[in-house]
Amino acid sequence: QTQTAAPPASGKGAIAVAEARKQLGKPYVWGGSGPDSFDCSGLTAWAWKAAGVRLSHSAYTQYFETTRVPVDQVQPGDLLFFGKDGVESIHHNAIYIGGGDMIEASQSGVPVRIRGWRAGDLVGAGRPG
């Protein structure tokens, strides 16, 4: 089963990215876990479920369920975690898709979208599985 139109990635990360791409344009709903709407950790959990990896529906908890990856070594499928003041403040996460871009479900009124990742409040990166 080959993944088409997915960025260069391997294995489960490629599957998670392809699944996340299928959700583009769906509405953000707080607590949304799919298939019709998502919040940030609902989207990341949904995408990784397609790759056979279970994640909790919480950006903060997902940080501890993933293996730390240096930010300059992220691969497509890795999760990016955001907060204003370190790990304890994590409130948002997204899926890195390559090329400096990520897919996120960010806030009410903004559908699931691709955007460039931001560094200002980036706490760290994690690799599921």
Side-chain angles (χ1 to χ4, degrees):
Q1 60 197 47
T2 58
Q3 300 291 334
T4 57
S10 62
K12 292 181 177 182
I15 295 169
V17 168
E19 185 62 28
R21 285 182 177 278
K22 293 178 188 171
Q23 314 314 317
L24 289 170
K26 291 187 178 179
Y28 174 93
V29 173
W30 189 86
S33 57
D36 301 318
S37 62
F38 295 93
D39 66 10
C40 65
S41 59
L43 176 64
T44 56
W46 178 274
W48 272 96
K49 185 172 72 174
V53 177
R54 280 187 57 84
L55 294 170
S56 300
H57 191 166
S58 157
Y60 177 78
T61 304
Q62 286 180 14
Y63 181 85
F64 297 99
E65 293 174 337
T66 55
T67 302
R68 298 283 64 76
V69 177
V71 172
D72 62 355
Q73 294 175 29
V74 292
Q75 309 256 330
D78 288 347
L79 304 186
L80 304 174
F81 296 90
F82 300 92
K84 294 283 186 239
D85 191 29
V87 172
E88 293 302 316
S89 70
I90 289 172
H91 62 87
H92 181 58
N93 65 353
I95 300 177
Y96 183 66
I97 61 170
D101 288 330
M102 64 186 194
I103 294 179
E104 67 172 0
S106 59
Q107 62 193 35
S108 187
V110 179
V112 175
R113 64 181 175 173
I114 293 175
R115 65 175 287 192
W117 83 353
R118 56 183 195 266
D121 57 349
L122 182 66
V123 174
R127 184 162 297 155

